[in-house]
Amino acid sequence: MSGKILIVDDLAINRIILKVKLAAACHDSLQAACGQDALAAARAQRPKLILLDMMLPDISGIDVCRQIRADPQTRDIPVVIITASSDRTRRLEALAAGADDFLTKPLNEAILLARIRNLLRTRETEAELRLRAATCRELGFSDAGGRFDAPGRIALIAADPATAMSWRGALAPLVYDRLDLLTPQEALTGADGRAAPDLYMIAANLGHQGDGLRLLADLRSRLASRDAAISLVVPAAESETAAMALDLGANDLLTLPFDPQETALRLRLHIQRKRRAEQLRRQVDDGLKLAITDPLTGLFNRRYAMAYLDRMANRTGQAGTPYALMVLDLDRFKSINDRHGHAAGDTVLRSVAERIRATLQPGDLLARIGGEEFLVALPDATAPRARQTADALCDAVASAPIALAGRPEAVCVTVSVGLAMGRAGGCAQEVLFRADSALLSAKAGGRNRVTVGASAA
Amino acid sequence: MSGKILIVDDLAINRIILKVKLAAACHDSLQAACGQDALAAARAQRPKLILLDMMLPDISGIDVCRQIRADPQTRDIPVVIITASSDRTRRLEALAAGADDFLTKPLNEAILLARIRNLLRTRETEAELRLRAATCRELGFSDAGGRFDAPGRIALIAADPATAMSWRGALAPLVYDRLDLLTPQEALTGADGRAAPDLYMIAANLGHQGDGLRLLADLRSRLASRDAAISLVVPAAESETAAMALDLGANDLLTLPFDPQETALRLRLHIQRKRRAEQLRRQVDDGLKLAITDPLTGLFNRRYAMAYLDRMANRTGQAGTPYALMVLDLDRFKSINDRHGHAAGDTVLRSVAERIRATLQPGDLLARIGGEEFLVALPDATAPRARQTADALCDAVASAPIALAGRPEAVCVTVSVGLAMGRAGGCAQEVLFRADSALLSAKAGGRNRVTVGASAA
C-alpha cells in the first residue's frame, strides 16, 4: 500500500481543494481525472483510501466502485463517494456498489477528516487480522461467504419508546434481522438473556447531550459488545457530534431525518462486515490450534509434547514428584505402508492412536512425535502404576486386528514400549533419552513388549 | 472473571456511594472492607476491575496492589487507587506498586467512569491477545521480560517549542528514553525517518481547543502509531477533555501542572505495557507460522503441502498448465536411526532437506510430509524438466556422505523418487497417488533412482 489517498474528480479545481485539505491533515494524495485512470491508479498504487466523485466523464463513480470491489487486489480499499447531487436513487446505488460512505457537497471538513480517520483505523485493524488469517487460508480453511447473510439481531436504542417504535415500524418491512427495542441499561447489561446484538443503532441524543456517545464508548469497553457494529443516529446539523462518534469508534452514521431504505442497506452492510471480522478472528484461533496438533490423529504433535515435558519436569513447588515417560513405536510399520499403501498405514495410525487414548487417564499426555512413534507422559505416576499402564497399552494395541476400509484383510499390529521414570526438578531430555534406549531394547528383545529403562544416575 | 467491579474501602458509606454510582453506569459491584478481604475477593471472584482505597485498617492499599500484581491469578486485573490524601510520596509508591491510575477525592464522576471504560477496553483487548499467545507459550516460547526495560523513544508534542523544551528539561534527568520534540505534522508523517515513537506525550490544547484530541484520534488511525502508547497532558480543570481523551483511546492522562517524577514513572509504565502487547502480537504471529512448518527441517509441513497442492491444481484461468509432483523417500532410513540413534537420524534429515532445497528453484514447493518423506511440486514444469530435476535431486542427496556431529563415521544416504505429471484443473490427489505408486516402483527397482509414474488416465 502506498499510504496515499486517491482523489478522483474530473475538475482540477476540486482535486486541488481536496489535496490541500488532506495535506493540512498530513495525508499524501494521488489524483485521477476519470474512472479508467482511477482504476489503474487503485491497482498500481494501492492507495489507503479513495475519495471518488460520482460524476466522471468516462464511467460513473458507482461503476468504478463496483470494479474496485470486484478485484481482489483492490477490494479492501475504503471508498468514500462524493457528489453534488442529492439524488436518492444514486445514493442507494453507491451503497449497494460497496461504497463505505457517501458524502454530499459542500463537504463538512470535520466530518470528512473524521470519516477518513475512522475508515483508516478500521482498515488497519482488518488488514492485521486478514494477514494472520491468511496463514489459515493457506491451510485450506474455507472462506465461505454464505453465512454472512444469515439474519442478525439489531438493537434499537432511542431517547424514548415512541421514537424506537417508529424506527422499528419503518425498518421492519425492509430488513430480515430481528429488531429489538432496548434501553441503554439493557444494552449494557445484556439483561434480556439473548445473544448480544450484531448491531446497535443508537440515538446520539438519549435525553441528555452526549449520552449516545457515552453509550457508544461504554459498549466498546464491554466484552459482549466490543466487536459489534454500532451506528449512531445524528441530526444533520450536529456535525461535531458526528465527527466525535466516528472517532469514538462508531461504524456508521445515520443522519436524521432518516431514509428507511438507505438505513436498511447500511445496517445490512455493517452486520456483514462485523461477521467477516468475526470469521477472521475464528480462523486465527483455529490456525493457532493447528500449531500444536498432529493432523492425522488429532493428537498433540511433537512440538507441543517437548514443550510439555519441559513444563512438567520444571513444576515449581513439586520437585521430587515422580513421573513416567513412555516412547511407543509401532512394530514393522514400514511393511504395512509398503504392502497396503499409505492410506492403509494412516488408518492403522489413527486406530492405534485411538486405542492408546482410550487406555489412558484424562490427565495423561499423549502425542504423536514421529511417523509411527508416540509419546505418553504420566505426570504423577509411581513406577508400578507406570509399568501397569505400559503393559495395558501393549495389550490394547494388539487386542484385535485393525480393519482397513474397502479391503477384506485386517492388519495385526503390535507396539514396543520404552519406559523411564523421572522426577520433577530434573532434566526431561535425559529421561526421554532413557525411554528411547529402553525402546531399542524392547525392539531387540523381540518387540510387542515393555522395557523399563535404567533409573536416573 | 465475574464481570464485577470490586470496591475496597473501610467506610461503609464510601462503598455505598461508589456502588450507586457504578450501578447507574450498569456496573455490578462487590465490596471489601479491608485489605485481606480484598485479596481474598480478588482471587476468588476475579473482578474485572478494582477501586482501592489507599487507607485500610489492616494492610495499606499500596501493599494490596503489590500483592495483586504478584499473583498470576490476579495480576492482569486493572487497579485504580483512590485516596483523600494528596501525599506525593504515596502517589509515586502507588504507581510503582503497579496501580493503573490514582484518583483523588472528591472523585470526578465523568473521569472515573471514563477511566473505567478505558481500562476495561484495554483489558479486553489484552486478554484476547493473551489468550491467543497462550497457545504459543504452551509451545515453550519464552516470555522473557528483560527487553521491556530497554530505552524507548518518547515524542513530546506541545503547543509551542518552549513548553516542549521545558518538558524535556524536566524529564531528561529522570528517564533513559530518547526524548524528541515533534510537531503534530512530524508525528503524523514520521518525516524524521526514525523508528516510530513508543510513546506520544501530547498537550490536549495544541493551539486550538480539541487539537490534541484530534491528533490522538489521528495517530490511532495510522499504521505507525496505532499501537503506540499515548499520554495526554490535560489542565486539571478540563475534566471533559480528560474524559474524552480516555474514551478516544489515550493510555494515560498527565495533569498540569505536572510532576516530573510521577510523569517519568507513568511514561515508563506505559512504554513497558506497549512492549508487552507487541510481544504478545509477535507470539501470535510466530504461533501461526508454526502451524505450517516442520520444526525439524524448517520446511513446510504435510498440512501446508496438501492445501498447496489443491490450490495449485485448481489455479483459475490456467487449466491445462502442466505441473510435476515428486515424492522422495530416504532409502533404508530406519537403519540409520537404529544404528546411530535418533539425533543422528535428525542430522541426516536436516542435511538431506538442505540438499534438496539447494537444488530446487525459488518457485518450487518443498515440504516434509512424513518421517523420511518429502514432497516436491514444480508448478509449471514440462515432463523433461521435471525428470531432469528429479535426477538432480537424487544426485544431490547421494553426492557426499553426511557427517554426524561428534562421531568419526559419516553416513551415505540415497533417496528414491516417484515422479508424476498433472495438469491444472485435474485432481491433485490422483497425481499424488501416481507419484506414490512410482515411488514404490523405484524402491522395488533397487532404490536411489527416479521412476516416472503412468500418465493420467
Side-chain angles (χ1 to χ4, degrees), chain A residues 236-251:
Chain A
E238 295 185 14
S239 63
E240 206 174 319
T241 303
M244 192 52 86
L246 290 170
D247 279 333
L248 286 169
N251 300 87

Side-chain angles (χ1 to χ4, degrees), chain A residues 38-87:
Chain A
L39 288 169
R43 282 181 201 124
Q45 315 256 1
R46 313 278 313 279
K48 63 181 178 182
L49 188 143
I50 301 175
L51 297 176
L52 182 59
D53 187 33
M54 176 84 97
M55 306 293 264
L56 295 171
D58 49 351
I59 42 180
S60 81
I62 289 169
D63 277 334
V64 172
C65 183
R66 216 171 269 133
Q67 290 187 48
I68 285 169
R69 287 288 172 260
D71 181 346
Q73 288 279 314
T74 57
R75 70 172 169 216
D76 298 323
I77 304 173
V79 175
V80 176
I81 291 192
I82 294 175
T83 180
S85 122
S86 56
D87 180 340

Side-chain angles (χ1 to χ4, degrees), chain B residues 18-164:
Chain B
L18 266 179
K19 183 190 160 88
V20 170
K21 281 185 183 175
L22 292 177
C26 300
H27 293 292
D28 290 334
S29 57
L30 300 164
Q31 302 192 17
C34 69
Q36 292 300 355
D37 287 358
L39 287 168
R43 281 181 201 123
Q45 314 256 0
R46 313 280 312 283
K48 63 181 179 181
L49 188 141
I50 301 175
L51 296 176
L52 183 58
D53 188 31
M54 176 83 95
M55 309 291 265
L56 295 170
D58 50 351
I59 43 180
S60 80
I62 290 170
D63 277 333
V64 172
C65 183
R66 216 172 269 133
Q67 290 187 48
I68 284 168
R69 287 289 172 260
D71 182 346
Q73 288 279 314
T74 57
R75 70 171 168 215
D76 298 322
I77 303 174
V79 176
V80 176
I81 292 193
I82 295 174
T83 180
S85 122
S86 56
D87 180 340
R88 183 169 167 277
T89 317
R90 307 287 284 160
R91 283 177 81 96
L92 297 181
E93 266 179 39
L95 290 171
D100 290 276
D101 203 1
F102 191 103
L103 299 177
T104 310
K105 294 182 197 174
L107 291 174
N108 176 305
E109 192 173 324
I111 292 184
L112 171 69
L113 293 177
R115 191 31 130 172
I116 290 174
R117 286 194 291 270
N118 176 286
L119 288 171
L120 292 180
R121 200 179 53 221
T122 308
R123 186 195 73 139
E124 292 302 347
T125 307
E126 286 183 3
E128 194 185 9
L129 255 179
R130 261 198 301 274
L131 195 68
R132 297 216 167 102
T135 308
C136 311
R137 269 202 302 283
E138 286 186 346
L139 288 168
F141 288 12
S142 76
D143 205 16
R147 286 171 308 159
F148 301 144
D149 288 330
R153 183 179 177 219
I154 297 174
L156 305 175
I157 307 166
D160 55 273
T163 306

Side-chain angles (χ1 to χ4, degrees), chain B residues 193-213:
Chain B
R194 294 182 189 284
D198 297 287
L199 186 146
Y200 295 83
M201 176 172 160
I202 304 173
N205 201 327
L206 291 173
H208 297 90
Q209 179 75 23
D211 276 1
L213 295 182

Side-chain angles (χ1 to χ4, degrees), chain A residues 339-341 343-344 403-410:
Chain A
R339 209 173 311 146
H340 305 280
L404 302 176
R407 290 162 181 258
E409 73 267 42

Side-chain angles (χ1 to χ4, degrees), chain A residues 27 45 58 61 77 125 137 195 214 230 245 274 334 364 367 372 384 395 398 407 409 412 415 437 444 454:
Chain A
H27 293 293
Q45 315 256 1
D58 49 351
I77 304 173
T125 308
R137 269 199 304 281
R214 255 189 301 280
I230 302 182
K274 178 237 174 190
K334 185 89 181 157
D364 304 337
E372 63 260 35
D395 293 347
R407 290 162 181 258
E409 73 267 42
C412 290
V415 73
S437 306

